[in-house]
Amino acid sequence: RRLRDWQRWTRNITLYGYLQYPHWGVPQAFYHSEGDFLRTVHRRGVRNITDEWDAHFNTSALFLSLRARLLWDLNTDVDAFVQDFCERMYGPAAEPMLEYSALMEQAVAESPQDHVSFRGLERFTPEVLANAERLLRRAYRLAPDDLTRARVADQQFAVDITRLYQLQAVEDKSTEQQVALIELNARILEEATRHDIAIPMDARYALYVGYTPPLEALAGKRLLQLPEQWQFRTDPEAVGEREQWQLPGRVDASWKPISIHQAWEGQGYPGYEGFGWYALDAKLPAGSGGRMWLLFEAVDELCTVWLDGEKVGESTGEPGVLWDKPVAVEVTGKYRPDEATHIVVRVHDSAYAGGIWKPVWVVESAR
């Protein structure tokens, strides 16, 4: 209907597709419907298509190659093209890769969404991902050389990235899910290096690039969750460390109560970017002889931590990566158990939300 309306004004219509960044790098596979779509819009007067394309070539080479061919020749036989592509790209591994392509397209057709957008992950059910990995393992075994194995690895990368996005979407992750997410990150980065896979932009932010996960603290025993309410003050001139706000006794009326379970913007500091200081006096447990940690489930973006005025640790890395990742600092021997300890955390935020926005724990791991 839209195209018919436009045809009243012009016989030469251009379609413009706009990029949706989230979930860049997941498999894109709607081969037959793409052919149907392009033939339909051509009949309705479309002669030009310009696009900020969402798919990444490494992970959706077949889909983008078919799309290019259809733009050149709308009468392209989709089935014949897919067959020819897989035979040329994968050689002896063509059969399982054809099955993999059909599986991905079937997942689109059976998706609970009316329109499968690039943002949606619903089509990638546990069964679809398990079958995809089974076929890719078979193809990898049949691949005759390193180049073909690397091409299969591109598709495995797409499946792993899909699992990564799904795990990250879980709001209240268990310890097991946190560890699984970190292990998946490590495997993806290792395989990307091994097979020289270019990591697409959105996936780069999703991966732990430039970030070392605190595995030991995450796998440790959580002894105490610290209170939600802390004292807080902003530091727009960055004078806090020079004036030694980290020392005990420096909290006065200029510090205000704040929750550490949400960003500071929603608690009376809208639009504030820069340093923010948090302070809390708490009795910390002794543990049973293991290594002791303060585990922050998420700090947006960078933080420095002091106990009783002594610096015990800080986070480092890309703010765009760190903002939703766990951070841990070791505090073994840095406090007197069951006596009040003055905890100070300075957070720096450069964009969007900022501050400690998830719970903080005292954790013990084995020595």
Side-chain angles (χ1 to χ4, degrees):
R1 287 196 299 271
R2 291 179 181 179
L3 292 173
R4 280 198 299 268
D5 290 342
W6 275 105
Q7 281 181 305
R8 298 175 184 173
W9 299 92
T10 180
R11 293 183 178 275
N12 190 356
I13 302 172
T14 295
L15 287 185
Y16 170 60
Y18 185 69
L19 182 68
Q20 296 179 348
Y21 288 100
H23 308 152
W24 214 20
V26 302
Q28 300 299 350
F30 26 99
Y31 313 118
H32 292 84
S33 60
E34 185 73 1
D36 294 341
F37 169 74
L38 291 174
R39 285 186 284 269
T40 298
V41 298
H42 187 270
R43 287 196 300 270
R44 289 295 176 185
V46 173
R47 293 297 179 266
N48 303 286
I49 292 181
T50 182
D51 219 334
E52 292 187 44
W53 196 240
D54 305 67
H56 185 251
F57 189 82
N58 281 39
T59 58
S60 301
L62 170 54
F63 179 63
L64 291 181
S65 297
L66 171 63
R67 192 169 193 256
R69 178 60 63 86
L70 285 165
L71 289 170
W72 182 261
D73 179 7
L74 286 172
N75 295 317
T76 295
D77 184 318
V78 171
D79 290 317
F81 183 91
V82 172
Q83 178 84 32
D84 180 67
F85 180 95
C86 288
E87 289 175 353
R88 292 174 181 269
M89 280 285 283
Y90 303 109
E95 182 183 348
M97 292 308 298
L98 277 166
E99 289 187 52
Y100 167 78
S101 302
L103 172 70
M104 290 291 105
E105 186 167 31
Q106 183 181 3
V108 172
E110 296 179 352
S111 170
Q113 294 174 303
D114 291 335
H115 170 67
V116 181
S117 72
F118 293 98
R119 299 174 185 270
L121 298 174
E122 291 85 352
R123 63 190 184 274
F124 300 111
T125 64
E127 182 180 6
V128 166
L129 294 179
N131 286 331
E133 290 179 338
R134 174 181 56 81
L135 292 167
L136 292 173
R137 285 195 299 269
R138 183 179 163 207
Y140 196 87
R141 290 193 299 268
L142 292 172
D145 50 43
D146 288 342
L147 177 59
T148 309
R149 282 188 285 272
R151 290 169 175 170
V152 176
D154 285 341
Q155 306 314 308
Q156 182 62 59
F157 177 88
V159 172
D160 286 341
I161 283 290
T162 302
R163 288 192 182 277
L164 179 81
Y165 288 135
Q166 289 178 333
L167 260 177
Q168 287 186 332
V170 178
E171 291 189 1
D172 296 316
K173 299 180 186 64
S174 66
T175 300
E176 292 75 15
Q177 288 172 322
Q178 290 276 13
V179 172
L181 183 60
I182 291 166
E183 290 175 345
L184 180 57
N185 263 271
R187 185 170 78 246
I188 290 172
L189 291 173
E190 180 182 347
E191 289 301 304
T193 300
R194 179 182 176 187
H195 294 289
D196 195 25
I197 298 172
I199 301 175
M201 178 177 61
D202 188 62
R204 179 176 176 81
Y205 288 122
L207 289 163
Y208 294 168
V209 178
Y211 165 73
T212 302
L215 278 174
E216 190 167 358
L218 286 169
K221 181 180 181 181
R222 299 190 178 192
L223 303 181
L224 175 69
Q225 181 177 344
L226 295 181
E228 178 182 348
Q229 294 295 318
W230 292 44
Q231 295 296 308
F232 177 79
R233 72 176 291 185
T234 59
D235 183 12
E237 304 301 323
V239 299
E241 188 170 13
R242 184 171 69 248
E243 295 180 359
Q244 298 185 316
W245 294 1
Q246 70 271 24
L247 296 179
R250 297 304 175 96
V251 175
D252 55 26
S254 62
W255 297 65
K256 305 299 181 183
I258 196 170
S259 167
I260 62 165
H261 292 182
Q262 58 178 302
W264 63 49
E265 279 81 356
Q267 302 185 74
Y269 306 93
Y272 177 70
E273 295 172 4
F275 288 105
W277 289 70
Y278 295 79
L280 176 74
D281 291 316
K283 292 182 178 181
L284 307 183
S288 56
R291 299 176 69 185
M292 305 300 295
W293 306 83
L294 281 182
L295 174 63
F296 299 79
E297 291 191 10
V299 180
D300 190 352
E301 301 157 345
L302 300 170
C303 68
T304 304
V305 183
W306 291 266
L307 292 189
D308 290 330
E310 178 185 357
K311 182 179 175 180
V312 292
E314 62 186 350
S315 62
T316 58
E318 297 182 20
V321 173
L322 291 175
W323 72 275
D324 64 342
K325 309 293 189 296
V327 173
V329 295
E330 185 173 3
V331 294
T332 307
K334 302 297 184 180
Y335 64 91
R336 293 185 176 89
D338 299 320
E339 294 185 13
T341 299
H342 187 62
I343 307 168
V344 174
V345 182
R346 183 187 64 182
V347 177
H348 185 267
D349 177 56
S350 60
Y352 308 110
I356 307 172
W357 60 284
K358 285 189 177 183
V360 180
W361 298 82
V362 180
V363 175
E364 182 179 19
S365 66
R367 281 198 177 274

